[in-house]
Amino acid sequence: MADLSEYRFTESHEWVHVESGVATVGISDHAQSELGDVIFIELPVVGAVLKAGDRFGTIESVKAASDLYAPVGGTVTGVNDQLADAPERVNADPYGEGWMIRLNHVDDNAALLDEAGYRAVGGS
Amino acid sequence: MGRHTQLYDRHVAAGARMVDFAGYDMPLQYSGIRDEHVAVRQRAGIFDVSHMGEVTVTGPGAPDFVQRLVTNDVGRLVPNQLLYSVMCNERGGIVDDVIVLRGGEDNHFLIVVNASTREKDVAWMHEHAGSDVEVEDRSDQLALIAVQGPRAADILEPLARMDEGGPGLRELRPFFATGLSLAGVTDSEVQRISRTGYTGEDGFEIYIDSDRAGQVWDAIIEAGAAHGLLPAGLGARDTLRLEAGLRLYGQDMDDDTDPYSVGLGWTVKLDKGDFIGAAALRELGGTPPRRFVGLRLSPRTIARHGQTVLQDGREMGVVTSGTYGFTVGTAVATASVNSGFDRDGDVAVDIRGNVAAAEIVPLPFYKRPKGDG
């Protein structure tokens, strides 16, 4: 189990991990489990500017398509290109190799939940 | 909380994600839909489909009654043969799609119905049955286990002892059934094994007294391990059946859909004698209001049930089923389109506001290679 003490969560099941001013974003283990096998992920281009709560992409699983929302605002500096050929990484390692985007110039979002808070709303 | 099959505890212990399906808590997936799908195509998978309904029809009037009940010609069945059919209302709408098994004894039929329509179907049968027919819902006494995939026969053969004089498991022809004992469970408890399925692969379906289902399930899981058999859930069942072009009641058709409009006209035998819906179907046969087509999309655009099918920018139909086909390697869907639809024209699907190009392709999307069963 990943150490999630530094991760923050949205109620829409994205996570963000800020380290040295760079925010990495993905979806939670609970979310990948609910979605089932991920087929494809549409991600923004590098340079896109997001506000907290903006839709930044779509994730398609066998079961359903779901929108992805930015937990924090910022400028997209990286997208996980590996997911184009291996979207199953989101299922296998949602907090690690399944990351989706990186942002800098991060605007913090006070509404985020810590691990215990996220569990309390049914996530994990 | 939904109803449980006899195998519920085993699914939970195996780590299955359970979902509600037609009032039952059923396994959606164990290791993952992709894994399970690929296992069935390449090796084997085992499914608990005990939620399906089984209805026996017996009595001197049974052959005539079943013939009136369904559209296909059960008069040509020999003992232990099965037949896919639909059961229509007087308007020609589909009450359910079913499998009819003609039993080994005289005047004995088993009709396998969908879980979601079981109560409606049983009421429909009672309503139309005369005094010389007995209709009995056996669903709660029978479990149904499907073993599907190219290795299914290899896995089951060492466990099975067939009826004396009956065909061996390998010799059992598609859409035939036999009695057998399996994994130490007697042949009277394992009621029937048929060479049928809902995946497009070779395989078997085992109808068994529900209190013996666990013993048979465990033995097949154990024997299958060396063959790469995986337990598979409803998720893989859906991706497999859709690739194989098999219809799903409630999604591809309902009480207002006639069989011609969903590409099941081949199950309607108008010359077999009278049956429920025959008059309406005779009229519809030449000019069904809708047509059923297969769509192939890009791997990045999964069409879903209910989305609009467009032709030259105009609404021409609706997606009935859509998923990602793991074996064909792209998104596939079936659609119900209106009669003005041009098969050679451009087609697209409105996927949440994005217009995704699609290609009309013949069904099924996937056909298993010849020579494995």
Side-chain angles (χ1 to χ4, degrees):
Chain A
M1 191 65 207
D3 174 10
L4 303 178
S5 55
E6 299 297 315
Y7 286 62
R8 295 294 175 268
F9 297 86
T10 64
E11 289 193 22
S12 53
H13 307 290
E14 293 86 6
W15 57 259
V16 58
H17 182 212
V18 183
E19 229 176 357
S20 314
V22 177
T24 305
V25 173
I27 64 166
S28 72
D29 188 48
H30 174 76
Q32 71 76 20
S33 165
E34 285 291 316
L35 286 168
D37 295 60
V38 174
I39 302 301
F40 133 80
I41 303 150
E42 179 206 312
L43 294 173
V45 294
V46 169
V49 178
L50 300 170
K51 294 194 299 290
D54 279 357
R55 194 185 77 87
F56 73 83
T58 308
I59 185 163
E60 285 266 12
S61 75
V62 178
K63 274 170 66 183
S66 307
D67 288 328
L68 299 164
Y69 298 99
V72 294
T75 303
V76 177
T77 57
V79 299
N80 187 352
D81 292 330
Q82 307 282 327
L83 299 182
D85 292 327
E88 63 272 16
R89 285 174 188 220
V90 172
N91 294 116
D93 189 10
Y95 297 117
E97 287 192 340
W99 69 275
M100 293 176 180
I101 56 172
R102 293 215 164 99
L103 306 166
N104 65 9
H105 306 298
V106 175
D107 298 325
D108 210 355
N109 176 358
L112 295 174
L113 304 164
D114 64 8
E115 187 184 0
Y118 182 57
R119 280 186 201 285
V121 296
S124 62
Chain B
M1 192 181 73
R3 305 175 61 185
H4 291 178
T5 74
Q6 286 289 327
L7 299 166
Y8 174 85
D9 291 344
R10 284 170 172 79
H11 304 321
V12 172
R17 263 181 65 83
M18 306 300 286
V19 292
D20 174 69
F21 186 84
Y24 285 81
D25 286 339
M26 296 300 290
L28 174 69
Q29 61 174 69
Y30 302 79
S31 49
I33 295 173
R34 182 193 306 261
D35 264 15
E36 296 163 25
H37 179 111
V38 169
V40 171
R41 288 274 182 259
Q42 297 182 351
R43 306 184 303 276
I46 181 170
F47 300 80
D48 176 15
V49 282
S50 302
H51 59 304
M52 300 287 288
E54 295 88 10
V55 183
T56 55
V57 179
T58 53
D64 288 343
F65 169 68
V66 177
Q67 187 73 307
R68 260 188 63 72
L69 194 65
V70 303
T71 59
N72 211 335
D73 185 6
V74 295
R76 66 184 171 84
L77 291 178
V78 300
N80 289 312
Q81 192 178 5
L82 301 101
L83 183 68
Y84 177 76
S85 184
V86 296
M87 189 162 77
C88 282
N89 56 37
E90 296 291 356
R91 294 174 288 117
I94 300 173
V95 176
D96 199 6
D97 67 332
V98 300
I99 298 270
V100 178
L101 164 68
R102 179 176 167 189
E105 306 125 58
D106 283 348
N107 303 328
H108 191 283
F109 293 85
L110 178 74
I111 303 180
V112 185
V113 304
N114 281 294
S116 56
T117 51
R118 167 184 156 194
E119 284 171 19
K120 176 184 77 169
D121 292 358
V122 172
W124 178 259
M125 291 180 203
H126 278 300
E127 188 185 324
H128 290 85
S131 57
D132 56 350
V133 173
E134 188 171 350
V135 173
E136 191 187 355
D137 183 357
R138 301 266 297 137
S139 309
D140 292 339
Q141 290 88 53
L142 283 178
L144 182 53
I145 295 171
V147 182
Q148 302 279 300
R151 307 295 286 274
D154 298 332
I155 293 164
L156 291 178
E157 194 168 49
L159 300 173
R161 286 230 335 265
M162 310 303 279
D163 268 357
E164 256 178 71
L169 201 63
R170 249 176 234 290
E171 289 74 48
L172 191 63
R173 287 188 284 147
F175 279 84
F176 276 83
T178 186
L180 85 176
S181 67
L182 195 68
V185 178
T186 66
D187 57 358
S188 64
E189 294 167 324
V190 175
Q191 309 231 344
R192 286 284 135 194
I193 180 164
S194 61
R195 200 156 202 166
T196 50
Y198 194 50
T199 60
E201 294 304 320
D202 183 28
F204 300 86
E205 291 179 303
I206 302 161
Y207 301 85
I208 180 172
D209 284 359
S210 64
D211 55 0
R212 308 310 299 271
Q215 186 176 338
V216 167
W217 178 271
D218 293 344
I220 297 170
I221 293 270
E222 191 183 331
H227 295 274
L229 169 133
L230 290 182
L234 294 179
R237 189 168 156 85
D238 192 57
T239 57
L240 290 159
R241 71 95 193 162
L242 186 47
E243 275 190 344
L246 300 167
R247 316 295 194 265
L248 175 60
Y249 193 85
Q251 199 161 302
D252 297 322
M253 54 188 158
D254 59 24
D255 295 284
D256 296 319
T257 314
D258 72 85
Y260 300 106
S261 291
V262 68
L264 295 177
W266 62 272
T267 68
V268 181
K269 300 298 192 304
L270 291 171
D271 54 2
K272 73 168 184 170
D274 194 31
F275 60 93
I276 303 168
L281 290 171
R282 192 164 277 118
E283 295 220 340
L284 280 167
T287 53
R290 308 193 66 80
R291 280 187 294 157
F292 197 73
V293 296
L295 300 178
R296 208 182 147 95
L297 296 98
S298 92
R300 302 185 149 221
T301 50
I302 301 175
R304 313 278 182 183
H305 174 79
Q307 291 174 345
T308 302
V309 176
L310 302 165
Q311 186 157 58
D312 303 322
R314 284 178 302 140
E315 289 188 16
M316 288 298 271
V318 64
V319 172
T320 60
S321 291
T323 193
Y324 184 80
F326 292 106
T327 305
V328 300
T330 195
V332 292
T334 52
S336 174
V337 295
N338 66 35
S339 50
F341 183 80
D342 176 8
R343 284 195 85 93
D344 300 319
D346 290 340
V347 184
V349 179
D350 182 344
I351 299 178
R352 300 182 309 281
N354 296 320
V355 176
E359 182 192 355
I360 305 260
V361 295
L363 294 172
F365 303 104
Y366 165 84
K367 219 173 198 168
R368 83 182 139 101
K370 294 272 182 219
D372 61 349

